[in-house]
Amino acid sequence: MAETALRVALLGAESTGKTALSLALGQALNDCGIACTVVPEYLREWCEREARTPLPEEQSAIAQEQARRVIAAARDAALVLADTTPLMTAVYSDLLFKDTRLYADAARHQQGYALTLLTGLDLPWVADGLQRDGPQVREPVDARLRQALSEHQLPYQVVYGTGERRLQNALLPLTRLPRLPGRERLLERLASLRDEQVLNRPWRCEHCSDGACEHKLFSGLLPRGS
């Protein structure tokens, strides 16, 4: 069966809320009548099963399985949200093991996404067993991930904020996807939230590495004329 779904990727350093945001996005979209499937991070499942972190030679298989699950989900859903992609595995293989061989395949896979969301570093770091190395790795991972996306000419949009604000800032770029089924219903939801002054409060980009650009991006996505 041919793939028909739109793919949306959530990428980001550890403890930046990717999993929580993917689940919240999935719920919000389904509430709008947009059939959405969330593909969890396979690495988490792998670490829990093996009770350890992967060795260098095991990274490629983990990346391939993540990609396989996304592609399989995309055959049956209107929209697929991927809680990480092989590009994250490539970044960690590079930083932890000095192995850059996974980038080429990861970048090809990433080209199949209609939208890539990068979770910002504005959330506090929280320990999570084997999954996390420590707050000191977040900035290097974030920097290398942005570099990899730029080097392979893969556009992305950064999501900041906490709670409901983070969710809204992630939903806004989705409204720019012309093939998004139920797009009008999502726009109506965001417009109603704007009327409640959830979206139009002053936004302070204290932690943004490129604040003017990203502030302009999100401001430009707000519904106009209402």
Side-chain angles (χ1 to χ4, degrees):
M1 184 183 298
E3 178 182 325
T4 59
L6 283 174
R7 296 192 214 167
V8 175
L10 279 81
L11 305 179
E14 64 181 49
S15 195
T16 55
K18 292 190 301 299
T19 297
L21 183 57
S22 68
L23 296 174
L25 280 169
Q27 183 65 56
L29 291 166
N30 280 301
D31 288 348
C32 289
I34 301 171
C36 175
T37 297
V38 177
V39 179
E41 182 181 24
Y42 173 62
L43 175 62
R44 180 179 297 275
E45 176 186 327
W46 193 98
C47 290
E48 290 175 352
R49 184 183 69 236
E50 302 295 330
R52 61 178 177 85
T53 56
L55 300 172
E57 61 270 20
E58 294 169 323
Q59 295 284 91
S60 178
I62 289 171
Q64 291 173 16
E65 178 61 16
Q66 183 73 38
R68 187 197 68 78
R69 294 186 179 197
V70 171
I71 293 168
R75 296 192 183 105
D76 301 314
L79 177 67
V80 171
L81 295 174
D83 175 12
T84 204
T85 73
L87 192 60
M88 288 304 311
T89 309
V91 166
Y92 278 103
S93 291
D94 182 1
L95 291 176
L96 296 177
F97 308 122
K98 308 302 181 185
D99 183 355
T100 61
R101 292 175 296 175
L102 301 186
Y103 278 120
D105 286 343
R108 279 192 290 270
H109 175 79
Q110 198 70 31
Q111 290 170 350
Y113 289 82
L115 175 66
T116 296
L117 300 175
L118 175 62
T119 48
L121 302 181
D122 52 334
L123 298 183
W125 185 86
V126 178
D128 189 16
L130 293 171
Q131 284 288 113
R132 295 179 181 166
D133 297 311
Q136 74 281 355
V137 306
R138 294 208 304 175
E139 289 188 7
V141 169
D142 181 77
R144 188 63 191 94
L145 180 55
R146 292 179 187 233
Q147 182 181 351
L149 288 164
S150 298
E151 285 176 350
H152 293 280
Q153 298 182 337
L154 297 166
Y156 65 94
Q157 295 174 13
V158 185
V159 179
Y160 291 102
T162 58
E164 185 70 11
R165 175 58 64 85
R166 202 175 189 86
L167 174 61
Q168 304 313 320
N169 285 343
L171 286 169
L172 280 167
L174 283 163
T175 67
R176 301 297 297 271
L177 298 176
R179 287 180 49 223
L180 180 70
R183 180 170 174 267
E184 292 304 317
R185 291 191 294 273
L186 181 57
L187 283 168
E188 288 172 4
R189 169 178 173 154
L190 292 173
S192 68
L193 289 169
R194 187 190 183 199
D195 291 341
E196 296 168 8
Q197 297 185 345
V198 173
L199 292 178
N200 60 354
R201 297 171 187 161
W203 184 59
R204 297 181 63 189
C205 192
E206 297 174 356
H207 303 278
C208 180
S209 63
D210 192 8
C213 174
E214 286 159 8
H215 190 188
K216 181 179 179 180
L217 166 69
F218 288 122
S219 298
L221 287 171
L222 291 173
R224 299 180 184 276
S226 59

